[in-house]
């Protein structure tokens, strides 16, 4: 069981906006930055959002992140077929002295 | 600028393996390095991290006491010595780079190396 809680699946149609939630606690999300990764089978994960809401260069502005208290969310607008992937949230956990991940959300583009 | 893992193999339970992650194209000693794994059909799991100056090392509870992370700046390589391997350690192991251990901005990743623990 993961320290951070994500829905196991999400779906949307092309062009739609979808949101993936990530719930944690005061020792992780509540006191540290949240990061989001996209992971396609057979490839290395890709950083989508860092420090709660910042996008690395090259990541489309269709991807956005937010954080409130001990929860965070990733929003994907203008959904595209290539967005079909697994998405993970991550944060440093002060109690565990290490990073923790969510269990991952499999996004399906219908 | 790249990371290249090696050392993955098939090993019996209780066995040992050393993974390597060779860095190139950047100033290796200034960056923290982490190992992240993904077991078949499972999600991402952080394993271990080492700061740029080797002054700080962290392990997940699942590998503490069995795995050892180290780095050799003369070879621009970070290692993961894995002892007492268990079936549940079977996974693709990735190395990743960040500015600091606590900041999980893993922009640069290796391609992954497969570790299979089975009798």
């Amino acid at each position: 069981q993961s320290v951070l809680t994500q829905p196991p699946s999400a779906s949307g149609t092309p062009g739609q906006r979808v949101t993936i939630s990530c719930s944690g606690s005061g020792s992780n999300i509540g006191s540290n930055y949240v990061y989001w990764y996209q992971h396609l089978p057979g490839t290395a994960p890709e950083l989508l959002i860092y420090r709660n809401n910042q996008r690395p260069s090259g990541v489309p502005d269709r991807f956005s992140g937010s954080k409130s208290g001990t929860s965070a969310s990733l929003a994907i607008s203008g959904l595209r077929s290539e967005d079909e992937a697994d998405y993970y949230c991550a944060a440093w956990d002060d109690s565990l002295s290490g990073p923790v991940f969510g269990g991952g959300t499999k996004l399906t583009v219908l | 600028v790249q990371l290249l893992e090696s050392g993955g193999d098939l090993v019996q339970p209780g066995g040992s393996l050393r993974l390597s992650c060779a860095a190139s194209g950047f100033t290796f000693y200034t960056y923290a390095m982490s190992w992240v794994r993904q077991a078949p059909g499972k999600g991402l799991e952080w394993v271990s991290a080492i700061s740029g100056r080797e002054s700080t090392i962290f392990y997940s509870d699942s590998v503490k006491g069995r795995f050892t992370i180290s780095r050799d700046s003369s070879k621009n390589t970070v290692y993961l010595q894995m002892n007492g391997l268990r079936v549940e350690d079977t996974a693709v192991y990735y190395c990743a780079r960040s500015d600091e251990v606590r900041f999980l901005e893993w922009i640069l990743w290796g391609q992954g190396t497969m570790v299979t623990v089975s009798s």
Side-chain angles (χ1 to χ4, degrees):
Chain A
Q1 192 164 349
S2 303
V3 175
L4 304 181
T5 301
Q6 297 179 236
S9 63
S11 63
T13 56
Q16 203 172 22
R17 182 178 188 269
V18 297
T19 302
I20 298 172
S21 62
C22 176
S23 177
S25 67
S27 64
N28 41 66
I29 292 179
S31 51
N32 293 289
Y33 291 123
V34 178
Y35 301 79
W36 289 91
Y37 287 87
Q38 180 190 65
H39 193 203
L40 294 162
T43 69
E46 178 185 355
L47 179 65
L48 286 179
I49 298 292
Y50 67 99
R51 303 198 185 191
N52 303 332
N53 55 19
Q54 303 300 302
R55 274 188 314 277
S57 60
V59 173
D61 59 6
R62 302 186 296 107
F63 295 90
S64 63
S66 63
K67 170 184 151 179
S68 178
T70 59
S71 294
S73 63
L74 172 72
I76 310 172
S77 60
L79 200 61
R80 305 174 68 161
S81 58
E82 56 260 40
D83 297 333
E84 194 163 280
D86 296 322
Y87 292 85
Y88 295 88
C89 58
W92 183 267
D93 191 295
D94 292 329
S95 297
L96 297 175
S97 293
V100 290
F101 281 100
T105 298
K106 184 175 185 60
L107 175 64
T108 302
V109 181
L110 302 170
Chain B
V1 178
Q2 67 174 1
L3 299 172
L4 188 62
E5 299 104 335
S6 60
D9 205 346
L10 169 64
V11 62
Q12 292 189 338
S16 297
L17 209 56
R18 188 177 82 159
L19 304 183
S20 300
C21 171
S24 60
F26 63 92
T27 308
F28 177 68
Y29 73 89
T30 65
Y31 290 93
M33 299 297 296
S34 295
W35 289 94
V36 175
R37 68 185 180 184
Q38 183 179 37
K42 303 291 186 181
L44 299 175
E45 180 190 15
W46 170 78
V47 174
S48 182
I50 185 168
S51 64
R53 303 290 182 177
E54 299 181 56
S55 58
T56 313
I57 287 176
F58 299 89
Y59 298 101
S60 68
D61 287 343
S62 60
V63 307
K64 197 173 296 182
R66 300 188 298 123
F67 290 12
T68 302
I69 191 172
S70 63
R71 63 192 299 160
D72 184 339
S73 292
S74 68
K75 296 183 179 179
N76 285 354
T77 301
V78 62
Y79 303 99
L80 187 67
Q81 177 66 44
M82 304 185 294
N83 299 330
L85 282 163
R86 305 168 179 168
V87 171
E88 55 265 35
D89 294 320
T90 296
V92 175
Y93 285 73
Y94 298 97
C95 61
R97 183 193 83 175
S98 62
D99 289 341
E100 301 284 344
V101 169
R102 290 179 63 98
F103 297 146
L104 314 182
E105 289 141 27
W106 297 312
I107 291 178
L108 184 63
W109 294 72
Q111 83 289 354
T113 187
M114 183 70 204
V115 172
T116 303
V117 184
S118 174
S119 55

